[in-house]
Amino acid sequence: MDKARENRDLTKGNLLKKLIIYLLPLFLANILQLLFTTMDLFTVTHFGGGNISSGAIGATGSLINLILCTFWGITGGASIVIANAKGAKDYDKVTRSIGSCILIILICGLVVLVFGAILAKPLLQLLKTSDEFIDKSTTYLTIYFLGAPFNLLYNAGAAILRAFGDTKRPLIAVVISGIINVGLNFSMVFTLDVAGVAIATIASQAIAMLVVFYYLMFDKKLTANFKLKYLRFYKDESLDILRLGLTTGLQSFIFNFTNVNIQMCTNVLGPEAVIGKAASGNIDGYEYALLNSISTTCMVAVGQNYGAKDVDRMKKTLLYSILMELVIVTIFDCIIVLCRNPLLSIFISKDEPNAKAAIELATQALMIIGLPYALCGIPECCSGYLRGMKYSVAPTLVSLGCIVGFRLFFIYALFDIEYFHNFMWLMLTYPISWTLCCLVYIPVCIKLSKKKFKYLRELSLKEQAIEANF
């Protein structure tokens, strides 16, 4: 047990090795989640309603992310608070933070369940979802939102375990739930099409939630377990979680609001563009899963070492994170470009009339977004680094200004101009905004790091002086 706890402690030992040990299960869990989503699309494309069903599911993605990722930000805030407390070995604060986080997320999940399901069709109509997709998209989105509490509680539980340094238990939960998801897909898609896939998804999320909470409550290797009696609002911990989480959630909301607008522009360009973007987006999603895993690893490692006041390990964490991102994403890019045709065939049935145009647009999107994807990773690592040091406003402002600001400017100022009113320019908004973000994030990280390091050194000297007096 002591050895297991030591392996989860990112404040001691070989840092690069610890980061890799932490990253691999987290990345694998994210990849498996995407693989099961890929299976959803594969089953409806080839055994359900074909490209229209696949496009209908793809048309809901930006709305799902808009709403759920907003609340995932709160779990990110809880992860930082717990990691800081664990690094400082304040286990009473850890326990209070866990109870506060779960209660907040439970309430959020119920809100999404009620309002998301009611507003599913009006929201899709607001996005100008075409007649080919609207009925199936509404069915899928309504069922998905009914399962929102399972999704949010799983992510909250997984974030808590990762704050302890444990990425293996969430991986186990994903494997178990994913196997169930695939089985349910093939048993229901033939008769229920997108509805069957949606039911399979929320059922598997419920299983993942139960597995994660089993570990939270009964795994003795954790330094603090969750008990129902701790399910309450603890003032200080709740305020800390909301302060850090709401800014992250606000960033996610505005960021995904931008993606909703991009989806609306895609809808205007026709069903082939919707199908092509859905296919390329699912492939690019694997790269983002990697970037998100590295960013989370960076955030938790910096958070623990911030609590331990270890400035050198915090600096090295950012450096190692960026290097890992650059190397691994470059490898991914090469694989995607070389294997793009068989990968796209998973999401687009070549036997349908709209297949050729959809594949051409999907290939264009992969080349424009996929090749420079490493540019997206640097801001992700910098964001995790700053949030681990309890900076929440700065990364939000940088992302909103550079990414959201540029994309909204393009959509509302340029897209209606004939020269820019096409799929290529819409996809180019991604790498251009990442480049702008890189140029701003690096000097911001340097400036804020110096300020925080000075504070930590002064605090450490004061603590040493107090101990010397005793």
Side-chain angles (χ1 to χ4, degrees):
M1 187 180 297
D2 291 339
K3 184 174 179 57
R5 289 179 179 174
E6 180 66 23
N7 286 336
R8 298 172 186 173
D9 189 346
L10 300 173
T11 63
K12 302 174 183 176
N14 185 304
L15 179 60
L16 180 59
K17 180 181 177 181
K18 287 285 186 77
L19 291 175
I20 294 172
I21 290 173
Y22 183 96
L23 171 66
L24 287 177
L26 173 59
F27 176 47
L28 186 56
N30 287 340
I31 286 292
L32 286 175
Q33 282 184 302
L34 285 171
L35 279 173
F36 300 135
T37 302
T38 297
M39 287 301 300
D40 291 351
L41 293 169
F42 176 79
T43 52
V44 296
T45 300
H46 298 281
F47 303 103
N51 290 344
I52 295 298
S53 292
S54 177
I57 294 175
T60 67
S62 59
L63 276 175
I64 290 172
N65 290 334
L66 175 70
I67 295 173
L68 293 186
C69 287
T70 302
F71 296 109
W72 289 350
I74 297 175
T75 68
S79 186
I80 296 167
V81 172
I82 293 168
N84 289 165
K86 183 182 184 300
K89 303 193 185 306
D90 186 350
Y91 299 117
D92 288 336
K93 184 177 179 66
V94 170
T95 300
R96 294 192 299 269
S97 299
I98 292 172
S100 298
C101 171
I102 291 172
L103 183 55
I104 291 169
I105 290 299
L106 176 60
I107 293 171
C108 293
L110 294 174
V111 170
V112 175
L113 183 154
V114 174
F115 290 99
I118 293 172
L119 297 174
K121 187 166 186 176
L123 288 171
L124 288 165
Q125 290 172 331
L126 191 64
L127 260 66
K128 302 179 182 178
T129 304
S130 63
D131 293 339
E132 292 98 331
F133 303 125
I134 189 70
D135 290 337
K136 291 187 177 186
S137 292
T138 300
T139 298
Y140 183 84
L141 192 61
T142 302
I143 296 171
Y144 199 101
F145 281 148
L146 289 174
F150 303 135
N151 180 291
L152 292 176
L153 285 170
Y154 161 73
N155 279 282
I160 292 167
L161 288 172
R162 289 163 185 160
F164 281 109
D166 183 358
T167 53
K168 293 181 181 178
R169 300 300 188 276
L171 172 60
I172 294 171
V174 169
V175 171
I176 294 172
S177 66
I179 293 171
I180 293 171
N181 184 31
V182 172
L184 290 174
N185 275 342
F186 281 103
S187 64
M188 292 191 288
V189 72
F190 296 101
T191 55
L192 297 177
D193 194 26
V194 296
V197 170
I199 293 168
T201 298
I202 65 170
S204 64
Q205 289 173 348
I207 297 298
M209 179 201 72
L210 291 174
V211 174
V212 162
F213 272 80
Y214 172 81
Y215 287 122
L216 275 178
M217 298 178 74
F218 303 112
D219 186 356
K220 299 303 181 184
K221 295 177 183 178
L222 296 179
T223 49
N225 291 105
F226 168 66
K227 304 294 181 186
L228 289 177
K229 65 181 180 180
Y230 301 135
L231 194 65
R232 52 173 288 192
F233 292 111
Y234 294 93
K235 182 180 177 181
D236 291 342
E237 287 72 22
S238 295
L239 289 175
D240 272 351
I241 289 169
L242 291 173
R243 179 176 62 83
L244 293 167
L246 287 178
T247 51
T248 306
L250 177 63
Q251 176 183 329
S252 294
F253 177 84
I254 299 176
F255 184 85
N256 284 293
F257 174 75
T258 308
N259 289 336
V260 165
N261 279 269
I262 290 176
Q263 183 64 50
M264 183 171 62
C265 293
T266 306
N267 292 343
V268 170
L269 294 174
E272 290 81 8
V274 175
I275 296 168
K277 185 177 182 299
S280 65
N282 277 282
I283 295 171
D284 287 333
Y286 287 90
E287 289 196 273
Y288 185 76
L290 169 64
L291 300 185
N292 182 258
S293 301
I294 295 175
S295 177
T296 300
T297 301
C298 183
M299 182 183 72
V300 172
V302 170
Q304 287 193 16
N305 285 290
Y306 177 85
K309 304 178 188 64
D310 193 330
V311 170
D312 289 337
R313 288 179 77 90
M314 291 162 65
K315 291 179 182 177
K316 289 179 180 178
T317 296
L318 177 60
L319 176 62
Y320 290 151
S321 298
I322 291 176
L323 288 174
M324 286 191 293
E325 177 267 323
L326 291 173
V327 172
I328 303 174
V329 168
T330 301
I331 295 171
F332 260 68
D333 286 341
C334 294
I335 294 172
I336 288 173
V337 170
L338 291 173
C339 303
R340 59 187 181 277
N341 290 330
L343 289 173
L344 288 172
S345 68
I346 296 172
F347 306 102
I348 301 174
S349 174
K350 296 181 179 179
D351 298 329
E352 298 189 25
N354 55 9
K356 184 177 179 180
I359 291 172
E360 288 177 356
L361 291 173
T363 301
Q364 187 178 74
L366 283 178
M367 302 300 286
I368 293 172
I369 298 175
L371 287 177
Y373 215 92
L375 289 173
C376 179
I378 295 173
E380 286 287 325
C381 292
C382 291
S383 176
Y385 174 70
L386 291 176
R387 293 184 191 284
M389 291 190 287
K390 304 181 81 169
Y391 282 118
S392 56
V393 176
T396 299
L397 292 177
V398 173
S399 296
L400 295 185
C402 297
I403 295 180
V404 175
F406 173 77
R407 293 180 189 176
L408 289 180
F409 169 76
F410 174 84
I411 290 167
Y412 290 102
L414 300 177
F415 185 66
D416 287 336
I417 299 172
E418 184 178 356
Y419 178 76
F420 295 105
H421 193 79
N422 56 64
F423 191 75
M424 181 192 75
W425 270 107
L426 194 60
M427 296 301 100
L428 279 170
T429 59
Y430 289 92
I432 293 173
S433 61
W434 297 334
T435 302
L436 293 173
C437 209
C438 288
L439 293 174
V440 176
Y441 246 126
I442 294 172
V444 168
C445 277
I446 293 172
K447 182 177 180 179
L448 293 181
S449 294
K450 289 180 179 179
K451 181 179 178 181
K452 191 65 75 171
F453 294 161
K454 181 181 178 182
Y455 163 76
L456 289 176
R457 290 189 180 104
E458 289 175 352
L459 184 61
S460 183
L461 289 173
K462 288 179 181 179
E463 290 177 352
Q464 290 173 15
I466 293 171
E467 291 178 3
N469 290 333
F470 280 102

